[in-house]
Amino acid sequence: MGRKGKWEYFRAIYGRYQKADREAKQVMLNEFCLTTGYHRKYAIRILNGPPPGKRPDRPVRRRGLS
């Protein structure tokens, strides 16, 4: 599964995971880990994190000319 596929799957499962009870979350987490190949702790962090969307652009950092 490529990066885009993992991202689409994450976006599809995120809302259901937030609303699920504990037992349902366990089942969804197992399925998510098997499908994406992510480690369980990483999957928990991203599924409990901020909602998926476009990340803000990083500010351009320039070197000082001193």
Side-chain angles (χ1 to χ4, degrees), residues 1 6-11 13-14 17 25-40 42-44 46-47:
M1 176 176 270
K6 288 179 184 180
W7 178 249
E8 290 298 321
Y9 185 61
F10 167 62
R11 290 181 66 200
I13 202 171
Y14 182 83
Y17 186 83
K25 281 185 178 183
Q26 289 175 350
V27 172
M28 292 171 70
L29 186 61
N30 288 336
E31 176 189 326
F32 186 73
C33 291
L34 286 173
T35 305
T36 60
Y38 290 155
H39 289 275
R40 192 172 180 87
Y42 178 68
I44 291 169
I46 64 172
L47 287 171

